[in-house]
DNA sequence: TATTGTTATACTCTATAACTATA
DNA sequence: TATAGTTATAGAGTATAACAATA
């Protein structure tokens, strides 16, 4: 053993980088959210679809994808799984487009997902010291758009 | 066409959720960083390894993984690719462990990666309005650990 | 006993190209 | 012409289980 302190993670030299910290924080929080949503047999992307469709009408697969930044092609297996699970149904808008709507089971699952995410968001904010808390969402939005 | 406003992304009902905004901001920023590092033929994980190993000595594959939150098993293909690219080499510590060290080419690539990430981090911070900026890193660290 | 390095495997997310049909 | 829905495919990250060899 050349260096006996080798195994002690003294100080992460990358921790001071906002971009790196952003990635680590997002990974940690999303892993926690995924764990909680798994109790409802939902992935994060599926819960997002439920919440989005629950508040809108006549939302097509493509429109959902644009909102959530998921490509058209990747919406196909996502919505297929949700349809197989009985959470959503497709209703024709015209001969080209279909509206994604929630089934009764989907609405019920949405209620449960809303409770989980509400608790999750509250827990997340509570971890941030009060003086930093009001600045968090505005800072994120500045990066997002 | 049932709803002519269907295609207009009026207001994302999920945008107010800090967790959702955290994910979107991290995705957007990491996509941008990945794009910039790609000009150096580096992935984010590879640049992270370069920066970590560049500041330490006798760091084993397992220790790097613990620092970067990458599992042992997933370090294997990562380091293999970097070794094939001539960026790192392995030096025996004992008959069980190997130290990951930077080759000359690795040190050169690290310098380039440092310039890219320094610019990236500065650009990231500049996008955040001044009054929110000092609160960003502390808030992220509160979520991370 | 615990840890290192490794192999194998599988799942999720993401990205691109291409095609058909319809607006 | 542009858009919707789809298929196929590939890359990247991540997760678990298992194994041999060594600390």
């Amino acid at each position: 053993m050349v260096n006996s302190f080798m195994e002690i993670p003294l100080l992460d030299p990358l921790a001071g980088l906002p971009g790196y910290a952003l990635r680590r924080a997002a990974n940690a929080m999303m892993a926690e959210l995924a764990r909680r949503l798994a109790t409802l047999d939902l992935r994060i992307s599926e819960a997002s679809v439920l919440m989005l469709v629950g508040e809108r009408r006549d939302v097509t697969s493509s429109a959902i994808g644009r909102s959530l930044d998921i490509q058209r092609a990747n919406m196909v297996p996502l919505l297929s799984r949700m349809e197989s699970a009985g959470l959503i149904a497709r209703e024709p808008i015209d001969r080209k487009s279909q509206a994604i709507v929630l089934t009764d089971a989907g609405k019920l699952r949405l209620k449960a997902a809303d409770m989980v995410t509400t608790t999750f968001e509250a827990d997340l904010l509570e971890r941030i010291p009060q003086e930093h808390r009001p600045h968090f969402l505005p800072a994120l939005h500045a990066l997002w758009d």
Side-chain angles (χ1 to χ4, degrees), chain A:
Chain A
M1 184 88 72
V2 174
N3 176 359
S4 61
F5 297 102
M6 186 178 63
E7 304 306 350
I8 305 172
L10 287 164
L11 185 116
D12 192 333
L14 278 56
L17 305 176
Y20 182 74
L22 175 60
R23 185 164 75 118
R24 292 295 295 266
N27 286 348
M29 288 299 98
M30 289 310 106
E32 170 64 17
L33 177 57
R35 200 185 60 74
R36 297 192 189 186
L37 285 174
T39 64
L40 305 177
D41 191 26
L42 285 176
R43 302 174 192 166
I44 293 177
S45 54
E46 295 169 336
S48 304
V49 169
L50 285 183
M51 290 191 264
L52 198 58
V53 175
E55 297 204 4
R56 292 187 180 184
R57 292 219 151 268
D58 307 321
V59 180
T60 63
S61 169
S62 297
I64 296 171
R66 278 191 293 274
S67 256
L68 298 178
D69 198 30
I70 300 174
Q71 311 212 21
R72 275 201 319 287
N74 296 327
M75 291 298 300
V76 177
L78 205 182
L79 293 182
S80 289
R81 199 186 112 104
M82 294 182 73
E83 191 176 23
S84 297
L87 300 175
I88 60 164
R90 303 170 201 257
E91 292 180 355
I93 294 177
D94 50 37
R95 278 186 300 175
K96 182 180 169 187
S97 304
Q98 296 172 318
I100 307 297
V101 296
L102 298 189
T103 62
D104 289 343
K107 289 173 188 167
L108 213 63
R109 197 76 67 89
L110 170 57
K111 275 198 174 178
D114 273 336
M115 288 182 56
V116 165
T117 56
T118 298
T119 304
F120 167 76
E121 299 289 348
D123 291 347
L124 186 157
L125 284 179
E126 225 168 75
R127 294 185 59 164
I128 303 176
Q130 267 187 337
E131 69 264 34
H132 305 309
R133 212 173 291 161
H135 299 90
F136 192 55
L137 196 55
L140 293 175
H141 277 274
L143 299 178
W144 169 5
D145 305 309

